[in-house]
Amino acid sequence: MTVVPAQVAGVAEIVVASPADPNGAIDPVLLAAAGVLEIDGLLVAGGAQAIGALAFGLPDEGLAPVDRIVGPGNAWVTAAKIEVSSIVGIDLPAGPSEGMVLADSTADPILVAADLVTQAEHGPDSPAILVTTDRALADVVEAEIDRLLPSLERRAILERALREHGRIVIAPDIDAAIAFVNAYAPEHLSVDVADLEAVVERLDSAGSLFVGPWAPESAGDYATGANHVLPTGGLARSCGPLSVETYGRFSQVQRIDRAGLASIAETIGTLATAEGLTAHRNAVEVRFRASAAQKDAVSTAPDR
């Protein structure tokens, strides 16, 4: 999710950081993926230590400081990324994974419950929120979650996440429901309502949308190709998913000839004067004074 967009963007050197297990071994699936992608370096470290090593480099190991650090992590990783953000680029400060389901009376409560539990499975601090216009649906979903939990392996984590961060929001109508969702700006948003596309068109603040009953969040995690490094904590109101553009470093290039500068010289001079930046105004005027002086010199030169 982080390497492929970097490769598409043309990043010259890519380093992946991943911690070892208690026996000092790296997960073999991750190693295989790194090999297939032909990354340039693998840093066996996690947490704040990995962020520090990437930001400042490890000269003895031949690792130079990187220009950008991307990817999610725990609270220590996020804190470390923020700490080094003044000297190296980062993507976003990632918080706990969060999921929201927007559903009305037409939604299947079994599917809604499954999608909410999916989000809670990420960790005990993961919010899982149902927003619905139908109180009866909310009651059935709650009962279905209770029925589902005993069959799942991470039951303890799920129960804690739902107990501490699970919520059901009853909205008076679909307009109020949409307003709540946009204000919350969830990382993941599943939408299962009658007027599906019309509602989706009005949802403008979510990291990743999963539209309709056949679009579980799991599909985005593993198979659809959508990037799953997403804004959390309301940042979806102003930021989008990790993408090729995340690795962009764009410069402005301005080429101006004499006629072009002459056409905007008055504007420059007026604004520079208004700001009290007369040196800015002079940088334009001096060019034309110099040009005029050169012309005068040529016209008064004696013939030979």
Side-chain angles (χ1 to χ4, degrees):
M1 293 187 295
T2 56
V3 171
V4 172
Q7 291 176 328
V8 174
V11 174
E13 186 173 359
I14 300 172
V15 178
V16 171
S18 180
D21 65 17
N23 298 317
I26 298 292
D27 183 277
V29 175
L30 188 143
L31 280 177
V36 169
L37 292 169
E38 298 182 343
I39 62 168
D40 300 289
L42 179 65
L43 173 63
V44 184
Q49 305 93 305
I51 301 303
L54 293 171
F56 298 104
L58 294 173
D60 293 343
E61 303 298 329
L63 176 63
V66 301
D67 295 316
R68 184 176 295 273
I69 301 172
V70 304
N74 61 20
W76 305 108
V77 167
T78 298
K81 285 172 67 176
I82 294 172
E83 188 70 21
V84 302
S85 62
S86 62
I87 61 171
V88 62
I90 66 170
D91 49 352
L92 290 173
S97 184
E98 57 196 24
M100 181 175 285
V101 176
L102 173 59
D104 63 13
S105 60
T106 65
D108 184 335
I110 294 177
L111 302 184
V112 172
D115 288 341
L116 289 168
V117 170
T118 296
Q119 278 308 308
E121 191 174 37
H122 281 286
D125 54 357
S126 292
I129 302 171
L130 169 61
V131 180
T132 182
T133 54
D134 186 67
R135 188 176 296 273
L137 175 76
D139 292 339
V140 178
V141 168
E142 195 166 13
E144 178 60 27
I145 289 175
D146 290 339
R147 187 198 66 78
L148 180 61
L149 287 178
S151 65
L152 299 173
E153 292 182 7
R154 293 167 65 89
R155 178 179 178 179
I157 290 175
L158 289 165
E159 288 180 339
R160 180 179 169 188
L162 292 168
R163 181 176 63 252
E164 298 181 5
H165 303 285
R167 299 290 186 270
I168 296 177
V169 178
I170 308 296
D173 52 47
I174 194 64
D175 292 334
I178 291 171
F180 179 88
V181 171
N182 283 334
Y184 190 99
E187 179 189 16
H188 308 91
L189 175 62
S190 298
V191 187
D192 195 352
V193 296
D195 198 1
L196 195 56
E197 294 303 330
V199 169
V200 168
E201 189 174 342
R202 297 171 60 190
L203 296 167
D204 57 20
S205 297
S208 193
L209 280 80
F210 301 86
V211 180
W214 293 99
E217 184 263 331
S218 319
D221 268 338
Y222 302 120
T224 63
N227 202 288
H228 223 63
V229 179
L230 302 168
T232 60
L235 289 177
R237 286 190 293 272
S238 59
C239 304
L242 185 79
S243 65
V244 173
E245 287 80 4
T246 304
Y247 299 91
R249 183 168 50 81
F250 307 102
S251 300
Q252 299 179 118
V253 179
Q254 296 155 84
R255 294 183 176 87
I256 309 172
D257 60 17
R258 188 183 192 284
L261 184 59
S263 71
I264 59 176
E266 183 179 357
T267 298
I268 298 169
T270 299
L271 294 175
T273 301
E275 289 194 321
L277 302 177
T278 52
H280 282 63
R281 184 185 65 208
N282 179 68
V284 175
E285 293 174 349
V286 71
R287 284 169 162 78
F288 293 101
R289 287 197 299 267
S291 178
Q294 289 173 354
K295 286 184 177 180
D296 290 343
V298 170
S299 63
T300 58
D303 295 331
R304 294 185 179 179

mmCIF file of all heavy atoms in Angstrom, residues 139-167:
data_model
loop_
_atom_site.group_PDB
_atom_site.id
_atom_site.type_symbol
_atom_site.label_atom_id
_atom_site.label_comp_id
_atom_site.label_asym_id
_atom_site.label_seq_id
_atom_site.Cartn_x
_atom_site.Cartn_y
_atom_site.Cartn_z
ATOM 1 N N ASP A 139 -31.814 -1.712 16.909
ATOM 2 C CA ASP A 139 -32.021 -2.757 17.918
ATOM 3 C C ASP A 139 -31.637 -4.134 17.387
ATOM 4 O O ASP A 139 -30.999 -4.929 18.086
ATOM 5 C CB ASP A 139 -33.489 -2.761 18.362
ATOM 6 C CG ASP A 139 -33.868 -1.511 19.148
ATOM 7 O OD1 ASP A 139 -32.952 -0.859 19.693
ATOM 8 O OD2 ASP A 139 -35.068 -1.171 19.189
ATOM 9 N N VAL A 140 -32.011 -4.410 16.149
ATOM 10 C CA VAL A 140 -31.703 -5.723 15.569
ATOM 11 C C VAL A 140 -30.196 -5.868 15.353
ATOM 12 O O VAL A 140 -29.630 -6.946 15.585
ATOM 13 C CB VAL A 140 -32.473 -5.927 14.244
ATOM 14 C CG1 VAL A 140 -32.101 -7.271 13.619
ATOM 15 C CG2 VAL A 140 -33.962 -5.842 14.468
ATOM 16 N N VAL A 141 -29.533 -4.801 14.908
ATOM 17 C CA VAL A 141 -28.080 -4.842 14.706
ATOM 18 C C VAL A 141 -27.365 -5.116 16.021
ATOM 19 O O VAL A 141 -26.436 -5.933 16.086
ATOM 20 C CB VAL A 141 -27.583 -3.523 14.083
ATOM 21 C CG1 VAL A 141 -26.056 -3.435 14.153
ATOM 22 C CG2 VAL A 141 -28.044 -3.403 12.638
ATOM 23 N N GLU A 142 -27.810 -4.472 17.080
ATOM 24 C CA GLU A 142 -27.185 -4.682 18.387
ATOM 25 C C GLU A 142 -27.328 -6.134 18.829
ATOM 26 O O GLU A 142 -26.374 -6.742 19.340
ATOM 27 C CB GLU A 142 -27.807 -3.740 19.408
ATOM 28 C CG GLU A 142 -27.015 -3.617 20.685
ATOM 29 C CD GLU A 142 -27.459 -2.442 21.524
ATOM 30 O OE1 GLU A 142 -28.529 -1.858 21.256
ATOM 31 O OE2 GLU A 142 -26.720 -2.099 22.471
ATOM 32 N N ALA A 143 -28.508 -6.703 18.608
ATOM 33 C CA ALA A 143 -28.725 -8.105 18.964
ATOM 34 C C ALA A 143 -27.873 -9.032 18.103
ATOM 35 O O ALA A 143 -27.330 -10.041 18.589
ATOM 36 C CB ALA A 143 -30.203 -8.447 18.814
ATOM 37 N N GLU A 144 -27.726 -8.688 16.836
ATOM 38 C CA GLU A 144 -26.925 -9.519 15.929
ATOM 39 C C GLU A 144 -25.455 -9.488 16.310
ATOM 40 O O GLU A 144 -24.747 -10.500 16.221
ATOM 41 C CB GLU A 144 -27.123 -9.039 14.489
ATOM 42 C CG GLU A 144 -26.308 -9.786 13.451
ATOM 43 C CD GLU A 144 -26.608 -11.272 13.399
ATOM 44 O OE1 GLU A 144 -27.735 -11.674 13.748
ATOM 45 O OE2 GLU A 144 -25.691 -12.038 13.004
ATOM 46 N N ILE A 145 -24.963 -8.348 16.765
ATOM 47 C CA ILE A 145 -23.576 -8.258 17.217
ATOM 48 C C ILE A 145 -23.360 -9.165 18.429
ATOM 49 O O ILE A 145 -22.364 -9.894 18.513
ATOM 50 C CB ILE A 145 -23.207 -6.799 17.548
ATOM 51 C CG1 ILE A 145 -23.117 -5.974 16.261
ATOM 52 C CG2 ILE A 145 -21.886 -6.729 18.316
ATOM 53 C CD1 ILE A 145 -22.877 -4.501 16.481
ATOM 54 N N ASP A 146 -24.290 -9.146 19.358
ATOM 55 C CA ASP A 146 -24.192 -10.016 20.534
ATOM 56 C C ASP A 146 -24.167 -11.487 20.127
ATOM 57 O O ASP A 146 -23.479 -12.306 20.746
ATOM 58 C CB ASP A 146 -25.360 -9.750 21.483
ATOM 59 C CG ASP A 146 -25.246 -8.398 22.166
ATOM 60 O OD1 ASP A 146 -24.135 -7.859 22.235
ATOM 61 O OD2 ASP A 146 -26.295 -7.876 22.614
ATOM 62 N N ARG A 147 -24.920 -11.833 19.102
ATOM 63 C CA ARG A 147 -24.958 -13.216 18.630
ATOM 64 C C ARG A 147 -23.667 -13.597 17.929
ATOM 65 O O ARG A 147 -23.186 -14.734 18.034
ATOM 66 C CB ARG A 147 -26.132 -13.387 17.660
ATOM 67 C CG ARG A 147 -26.370 -14.835 17.223
ATOM 68 C CD ARG A 147 -27.218 -14.908 15.977
ATOM 69 N NE ARG A 147 -26.542 -14.336 14.830
ATOM 70 C CZ ARG A 147 -25.584 -14.964 14.137
ATOM 71 N NH1 ARG A 147 -25.158 -16.158 14.514
ATOM 72 N NH2 ARG A 147 -25.036 -14.379 13.092
ATOM 73 N N LEU A 148 -23.055 -12.624 17.238
ATOM 74 C CA LEU A 148 -21.878 -12.896 16.421
ATOM 75 C C LEU A 148 -20.588 -13.003 17.230
ATOM 76 O O LEU A 148 -19.716 -13.826 16.930
ATOM 77 C CB LEU A 148 -21.737 -11.778 15.370
ATOM 78 C CG LEU A 148 -20.571 -11.835 14.388
ATOM 79 C CD1 LEU A 148 -20.644 -13.109 13.534
ATOM 80 C CD2 LEU A 148 -20.576 -10.595 13.508
ATOM 81 N N LEU A 149 -20.451 -12.204 18.250
ATOM 82 C CA LEU A 149 -19.177 -12.100 18.971
ATOM 83 C C LEU A 149 -18.613 -13.422 19.482
ATOM 84 O O LEU A 149 -17.401 -13.666 19.354
ATOM 85 C CB LEU A 149 -19.314 -11.111 20.132
ATOM 86 C CG LEU A 149 -19.380 -9.629 19.751
ATOM 87 C CD1 LEU A 149 -19.562 -8.775 20.992
ATOM 88 C CD2 LEU A 149 -18.125 -9.207 18.998
ATOM 89 N N PRO A 150 -19.403 -14.309 20.080
ATOM 90 C CA PRO A 150 -18.825 -15.541 20.634
ATOM 91 C C PRO A 150 -18.129 -16.431 19.611
ATOM 92 O O PRO A 150 -17.286 -17.258 19.980
ATOM 93 C CB PRO A 150 -20.042 -16.254 21.242
ATOM 94 C CG PRO A 150 -21.008 -15.156 21.535
ATOM 95 C CD PRO A 150 -20.841 -14.185 20.423
ATOM 96 N N SER A 151 -18.426 -16.247 18.322
ATOM 97 C CA SER A 151 -17.841 -17.106 17.296
ATOM 98 C C SER A 151 -16.538 -16.558 16.723
ATOM 99 O O SER A 151 -15.912 -17.202 15.882
ATOM 100 C CB SER A 151 -18.842 -17.296 16.148
ATOM 101 O OG SER A 151 -19.092 -16.055 15.484
ATOM 102 N N LEU A 152 -16.103 -15.388 17.169
ATOM 103 C CA LEU A 152 -14.937 -14.739 16.584
ATOM 104 C C LEU A 152 -13.701 -14.881 17.465
ATOM 105 O O LEU A 152 -13.790 -14.841 18.694
ATOM 106 C CB LEU A 152 -15.238 -13.257 16.338
ATOM 107 C CG LEU A 152 -16.408 -13.016 15.369
ATOM 108 C CD1 LEU A 152 -16.756 -11.540 15.311
ATOM 109 C CD2 LEU A 152 -16.086 -13.538 13.967
ATOM 110 N N GLU A 153 -12.532 -15.030 16.833
ATOM 111 C CA GLU A 153 -11.301 -15.314 17.562
ATOM 112 C C GLU A 153 -10.859 -14.157 18.447
ATOM 113 O O GLU A 153 -10.349 -14.366 19.537
ATOM 114 C CB GLU A 153 -10.187 -15.663 16.571
ATOM 115 C CG GLU A 153 -10.399 -16.988 15.847
ATOM 116 C CD GLU A 153 -9.247 -17.308 14.910
ATOM 117 O OE1 GLU A 153 -8.241 -16.559 14.930
ATOM 118 O OE2 GLU A 153 -9.336 -18.299 14.171
ATOM 119 N N ARG A 154 -11.036 -12.928 17.985
ATOM 120 C CA ARG A 154 -10.568 -11.766 18.750
ATOM 121 C C ARG A 154 -11.706 -11.184 19.598
ATOM 122 O O ARG A 154 -11.855 -9.970 19.708
ATOM 123 C CB ARG A 154 -9.995 -10.717 17.789
ATOM 124 C CG ARG A 154 -8.714 -11.195 17.108
ATOM 125 C CD ARG A 154 -8.315 -10.298 15.938
ATOM 126 N NE ARG A 154 -7.954 -8.947 16.330
ATOM 127 C CZ ARG A 154 -6.724 -8.564 16.664
ATOM 128 N NH1 ARG A 154 -5.733 -9.453 16.691
ATOM 129 N NH2 ARG A 154 -6.466 -7.316 16.985
ATOM 130 N N ARG A 155 -12.437 -12.068 20.228
ATOM 131 C CA ARG A 155 -13.624 -11.651 20.961
ATOM 132 C C ARG A 155 -13.303 -10.631 22.055
ATOM 133 O O ARG A 155 -14.028 -9.650 22.225
ATOM 134 C CB ARG A 155 -14.315 -12.879 21.575
ATOM 135 C CG ARG A 155 -15.547 -12.512 22.391
ATOM 136 C CD ARG A 155 -16.223 -13.738 22.965
ATOM 137 N NE ARG A 155 -17.371 -13.377 23.782
ATOM 138 C CZ ARG A 155 -18.166 -14.254 24.396
ATOM 139 N NH1 ARG A 155 -17.913 -15.560 24.278
ATOM 140 N NH2 ARG A 155 -19.191 -13.836 25.104
ATOM 141 N N ALA A 156 -12.238 -10.828 22.778
ATOM 142 C CA ALA A 156 -11.907 -9.926 23.881
ATOM 143 C C ALA A 156 -11.646 -8.512 23.379
ATOM 144 O O ALA A 156 -12.127 -7.524 23.957
ATOM 145 C CB ALA A 156 -10.705 -10.445 24.650
ATOM 146 N N ILE A 157 -10.899 -8.402 22.281
ATOM 147 C CA ILE A 157 -10.625 -7.090 21.692
ATOM 148 C C ILE A 157 -11.905 -6.474 21.164
ATOM 149 O O ILE A 157 -12.174 -5.279 21.355
ATOM 150 C CB ILE A 157 -9.577 -7.223 20.572
ATOM 151 C CG1 ILE A 157 -8.212 -7.567 21.168
ATOM 152 C CG2 ILE A 157 -9.496 -5.956 19.732
ATOM 153 C CD1 ILE A 157 -7.135 -7.830 20.149
ATOM 154 N N LEU A 158 -12.713 -7.292 20.497
ATOM 155 C CA LEU A 158 -13.969 -6.798 19.935
ATOM 156 C C LEU A 158 -14.897 -6.274 21.027
ATOM 157 O O LEU A 158 -15.483 -5.179 20.893
ATOM 158 C CB LEU A 158 -14.662 -7.924 19.162
ATOM 159 C CG LEU A 158 -13.999 -8.337 17.848
ATOM 160 C CD1 LEU A 158 -14.553 -9.672 17.378
ATOM 161 C CD2 LEU A 158 -14.211 -7.273 16.797
ATOM 162 N N GLU A 159 -15.026 -7.016 22.090
ATOM 163 C CA GLU A 159 -15.932 -6.601 23.156
ATOM 164 C C GLU A 159 -15.474 -5.304 23.796
ATOM 165 O O GLU A 159 -16.287 -4.415 24.085
ATOM 166 C CB GLU A 159 -16.052 -7.711 24.201
ATOM 167 C CG GLU A 159 -16.848 -8.915 23.714
ATOM 168 C CD GLU A 159 -16.949 -10.009 24.755
ATOM 169 O OE1 GLU A 159 -16.099 -10.025 25.686
ATOM 170 O OE2 GLU A 159 -17.852 -10.854 24.637
ATOM 171 N N ARG A 160 -14.188 -5.161 23.986
ATOM 172 C CA ARG A 160 -13.680 -3.931 24.596
ATOM 173 C C ARG A 160 -13.871 -2.741 23.658
ATOM 174 O O ARG A 160 -14.299 -1.652 24.080
ATOM 175 C CB ARG A 160 -12.205 -4.091 24.951
ATOM 176 C CG ARG A 160 -11.620 -2.847 25.601
ATOM 177 C CD ARG A 160 -10.167 -3.049 25.962
ATOM 178 N NE ARG A 160 -9.556 -1.783 26.334
ATOM 179 C CZ ARG A 160 -8.262 -1.618 26.550
ATOM 180 N NH1 ARG A 160 -7.430 -2.659 26.451
ATOM 181 N NH2 ARG A 160 -7.775 -0.431 26.855
ATOM 182 N N ALA A 161 -13.555 -2.923 22.379
ATOM 183 C CA ALA A 161 -13.702 -1.839 21.410
ATOM 184 C C ALA A 161 -15.158 -1.393 21.316
ATOM 185 O O ALA A 161 -15.459 -0.189 21.321
ATOM 186 C CB ALA A 161 -13.191 -2.282 20.040
ATOM 187 N N LEU A 162 -16.063 -2.346 21.246
ATOM 188 C CA LEU A 162 -17.483 -1.999 21.123
ATOM 189 C C LEU A 162 -18.025 -1.390 22.406
ATOM 190 O O LEU A 162 -18.859 -0.474 22.371
ATOM 191 C CB LEU A 162 -18.278 -3.248 20.736
ATOM 192 C CG LEU A 162 -17.996 -3.781 19.315
ATOM 193 C CD1 LEU A 162 -18.598 -5.161 19.141
ATOM 194 C CD2 LEU A 162 -18.541 -2.812 18.271
ATOM 195 N N ARG A 163 -17.543 -1.884 23.528
ATOM 196 C CA ARG A 163 -18.008 -1.352 24.814
ATOM 197 C C ARG A 163 -17.534 0.082 25.017
ATOM 198 O O ARG A 163 -18.290 0.957 25.460
ATOM 199 C CB ARG A 163 -17.508 -2.234 25.952
ATOM 200 C CG ARG A 163 -17.969 -1.763 27.340
ATOM 201 C CD ARG A 163 -17.520 -2.727 28.434
ATOM 202 N NE ARG A 163 -16.068 -2.808 28.543
ATOM 203 C CZ ARG A 163 -15.345 -3.853 28.153
ATOM 204 N NH1 ARG A 163 -15.930 -4.920 27.630
ATOM 205 N NH2 ARG A 163 -14.027 -3.852 28.285
ATOM 206 N N GLU A 164 -16.276 0.360 24.676
ATOM 207 C CA GLU A 164 -15.706 1.670 24.960
ATOM 208 C C GLU A 164 -15.855 2.663 23.809
ATOM 209 O O GLU A 164 -15.884 3.876 24.041
ATOM 210 C CB GLU A 164 -14.218 1.515 25.307
ATOM 211 C CG GLU A 164 -13.987 0.679 26.563
ATOM 212 C CD GLU A 164 -12.511 0.545 26.908
ATOM 213 O OE1 GLU A 164 -11.671 1.179 26.221
ATOM 214 O OE2 GLU A 164 -12.191 -0.202 27.864
ATOM 215 N N HIS A 165 -15.936 2.151 22.584
ATOM 216 C CA HIS A 165 -15.955 3.065 21.443
ATOM 217 C C HIS A 165 -17.068 2.771 20.437
ATOM 218 O O HIS A 165 -17.116 3.413 19.382
ATOM 219 C CB HIS A 165 -14.601 3.017 20.716
ATOM 220 C CG HIS A 165 -13.441 3.351 21.602
ATOM 221 N ND1 HIS A 165 -13.155 4.636 22.011
ATOM 222 C CD2 HIS A 165 -12.503 2.555 22.192
ATOM 223 C CE1 HIS A 165 -12.091 4.624 22.794
ATOM 224 N NE2 HIS A 165 -11.675 3.379 22.911
ATOM 225 N N GLY A 166 -17.915 1.805 20.727
ATOM 226 C CA GLY A 166 -19.037 1.533 19.847
ATOM 227 C C GLY A 166 -20.194 2.473 20.142
ATOM 228 O O GLY A 166 -20.509 2.748 21.301
ATOM 229 N N ARG A 167 -20.825 2.978 19.108
ATOM 230 C CA ARG A 167 -21.933 3.906 19.272
ATOM 231 C C ARG A 167 -22.996 3.646 18.204
ATOM 232 O O ARG A 167 -22.694 3.216 17.098
ATOM 233 C CB ARG A 167 -21.467 5.370 19.153
ATOM 234 C CG ARG A 167 -20.436 5.806 20.191
ATOM 235 C CD ARG A 167 -21.047 5.904 21.579
ATOM 236 N NE ARG A 167 -20.087 6.463 22.535
ATOM 237 C CZ ARG A 167 -19.239 5.739 23.247
ATOM 238 N NH1 ARG A 167 -19.195 4.399 23.070
ATOM 239 N NH2 ARG A 167 -18.412 6.297 24.115
#
